[in-house]
Amino acid sequence: MAKSAIVHDYHHPQPGSTPTFTLDEKVQHAILQNGIERPKGYTVSYHGNPAVERQHFGERHPMKPWRLTLTNKIVLAYGMHDAMDLYLSRAATHQELTEFHTEDYIDFLQRTTPDNFSVTADDNRFNIGDDCPIFDGLYTYASLYAGASLDAARKLTSHQSLIAINWSGGLHHAKKSEASGFCYINDIVLSILQLLRHHPRVLYIDIDVHHGDGVEQAFWSTDRVMTLSFHKYCKETFFPGTGPLDSTGPPNPSNPGAHHSLNVPLHDGIEDDQYTRLFADIVGPAVATYNPTAIVLQCGADSLGGDRLGCFNLGIKAHGSCLAFVKKFNMPTLVLGGGGYTPRNVARLWAYETSLCIGAEVHDKMPSHTPFLEYFEDNRTLFPPLGQINKKFENRNTPKYLQSLVMGIRESLRYVEGSPSVQMQHIPPDLGPVREEVDEEIRREREEEGAARRQRERGRGVRGELY
């Protein structure tokens, strides 16, 4: 029987081909198009809390936590979340924060609001001001991004993840008792302290345009952490004015931290090929010499070309190649955010670097269902030519100068006597008070348990353990 002229075979359209498909169907189509799948042989975890994204430093402040919203929207649009373990992180507790920071500083952050804050001589010691203002939700913001980094570090130490990502973390300037450079809590230091409970040696690598001074200072006198920072350096004109090549740790060679703080001071305008070659020429020997058992990589996005506060000419793929190089070492790696003050480019970078973590080769054109797509201008690509279209800075890094940096770092590495001979139970000085508190708690608990046991034994009229 012939088919009626008004009856047609039904062909279900492909997901994403019509505007009427649900967002979930469009994401599933993006997953297929980009070959998104869970990595084979290792696990990647993704940590954060959306409450961090809602915080606001002020209308004119360059730090915009909204960049995390853009990052997550791109990650979700590509379907990368399907390849990772996702964790909603809790806030770090007061006790966790004071494993590094002082009690009075944390108490100050916890109690201070814009309504009750006034700059006095006493409060000014915490370095509160234009760079580090007091805003509504400050303590929530700081404790949440710190909590996410701690959660990520714990996933590494428990072997639940090989790579753990927290883009809200990486705030490397905060000091033990003061805020600095838009950073209030040094989540990096806290997470490294967590890693040191299980790992004898941790290598910290920082590719933010600014020197990772807070982390370097925290581990200045230990050989259990090697810090390696690539950054713009000018003592007089560029924040924080620290990190010259000859700053390699305590000058006393008998101090365990001697030669364990490495700095790669760069000039304006460094470009892709130079940076990626320099990174490999330095990080490779550092890993081979120091032999870390875990790596923390701070992926500050202000080293991209066109950044509001940066002065390099790097593109997104060049920045990402540094992460890809570190990934090849196949060891527990904590991946953190950091600086970055052109939000759309920060989001592009961190979404791309998420794809590198999971081993996906994503298309350069962002999915059409990506929220806030209009914010990424007309090209809507993941890889705009930042090093070319935004080349605001002349490249002042000559091949001779870059070679001198490589030689200087390798000379410092000659003094590092291989792996430090530390026992696993050794805890750096900053954790000493914590360990003493824990030991005291255990002692009190045992005494109380013993007293209760003896009381129960008297009640039964027997001696010995009760089962």
Side-chain angles (χ1 to χ4, degrees), residues 69-382:
T69 301
L70 292 177
T71 301
N72 292 331
K73 294 301 184 185
I74 299 175
V75 168
L76 291 168
Y78 276 103
M80 289 185 247
H81 61 287
D82 203 51
M84 300 183 286
D85 292 341
L86 308 181
Y87 293 96
L88 178 66
S89 303
R90 62 166 176 80
T93 65
H94 188 281
Q95 182 179 359
E96 288 171 331
L97 296 176
T98 53
E99 288 187 1
F100 171 62
H101 295 284
T102 60
E103 288 272 357
D104 57 344
Y105 175 57
I106 297 302
D107 289 342
F108 169 80
L109 293 180
Q110 195 166 18
R111 71 171 187 268
T112 305
T113 68
D115 294 333
N116 65 24
F117 174 69
S118 62
V119 180
T120 65
D122 183 57
D123 289 339
N124 199 43
R125 63 194 170 102
F126 299 124
N127 199 31
I128 300 300
D130 292 339
D131 280 358
C132 300
I134 296 295
F135 57 87
D136 283 324
L138 168 58
Y139 186 75
T140 297
Y141 165 74
S143 59
L144 280 174
Y145 75 68
S149 291
L150 283 169
D151 184 36
R154 290 181 180 120
K155 293 299 182 292
L156 297 178
T157 58
S158 63
H159 309 293
Q160 292 177 262
S161 305
L162 184 67
I163 301 174
I165 304 169
N166 172 29
W167 294 127
S168 67
L171 301 183
H172 57 175
H173 294 306
K175 309 301 191 298
K176 191 177 186 70
S177 58
E178 67 176 43
S180 179
F182 316 157
C183 307
Y184 299 87
I185 297 296
N186 200 315
D187 64 290
I188 306 172
V189 172
L190 293 173
S191 57
I192 291 176
L193 290 173
Q194 183 66 36
L195 292 172
L196 289 175
R197 295 177 181 270
H198 300 264
H199 291 275
R201 297 169 303 283
V202 175
L203 173 62
Y204 170 69
I205 306 171
D206 190 316
I207 55 175
D208 195 289
V209 76
H210 300 96
H211 179 226
D213 59 331
V215 183
E216 179 185 271
Q217 187 181 109
F219 298 109
W220 185 253
S221 296
T222 179
D223 59 357
R224 291 194 59 195
V225 179
M226 174 176 280
T227 61
L228 173 56
S229 178
F230 296 76
H231 53 271
K232 159 67 185 288
Y233 172 69
C234 180
K235 185 175 181 180
E236 291 78 21
T237 63
F238 197 78
F239 180 86
T242 55
L245 179 63
D246 59 1
S247 178
T248 61
N252 186 343
S254 65
N255 189 304
H259 306 292
H260 284 75
S261 297
L262 305 181
N263 288 293
V264 186
L266 300 167
H267 301 316
D268 288 351
I270 191 167
E271 298 178 355
D272 290 356
D273 290 344
Q274 290 177 314
Y275 195 90
T276 55
R277 189 181 309 114
L278 181 71
F279 186 86
D281 287 347
I282 288 176
V283 172
V287 171
T289 302
Y290 185 58
N291 192 24
T293 56
I295 295 177
V296 177
L297 178 62
Q298 196 265 22
C299 299
D302 48 8
S303 46
L304 292 176
D307 187 80
R308 181 176 173 183
L309 300 184
C311 55
F312 291 168
N313 294 321
L314 298 184
I316 285 172
K317 287 190 175 180
H319 196 287
S321 71
C322 298
L323 185 150
F325 186 83
V326 169
K327 183 186 173 188
K328 290 179 182 178
F329 294 112
N330 196 37
M331 64 178 66
T333 303
L334 177 59
V335 177
L336 302 172
Y341 307 101
T342 303
R344 60 179 176 271
N345 293 336
V346 176
R348 285 176 165 124
L349 174 69
W350 289 347
Y352 172 59
E353 292 183 335
T354 301
S355 76
L356 294 176
C357 289
I358 62 175
E361 296 184 11
V362 295
H363 295 169
D364 62 347
K365 192 172 183 62
M366 287 188 280
S368 59
H369 57 271
T370 305
F372 309 113
L373 197 57
E374 68 280 0
Y375 190 72
F376 295 90
E377 302 176 334
D378 294 337
N379 54 35
R380 298 181 179 180
T381 176
L382 203 59

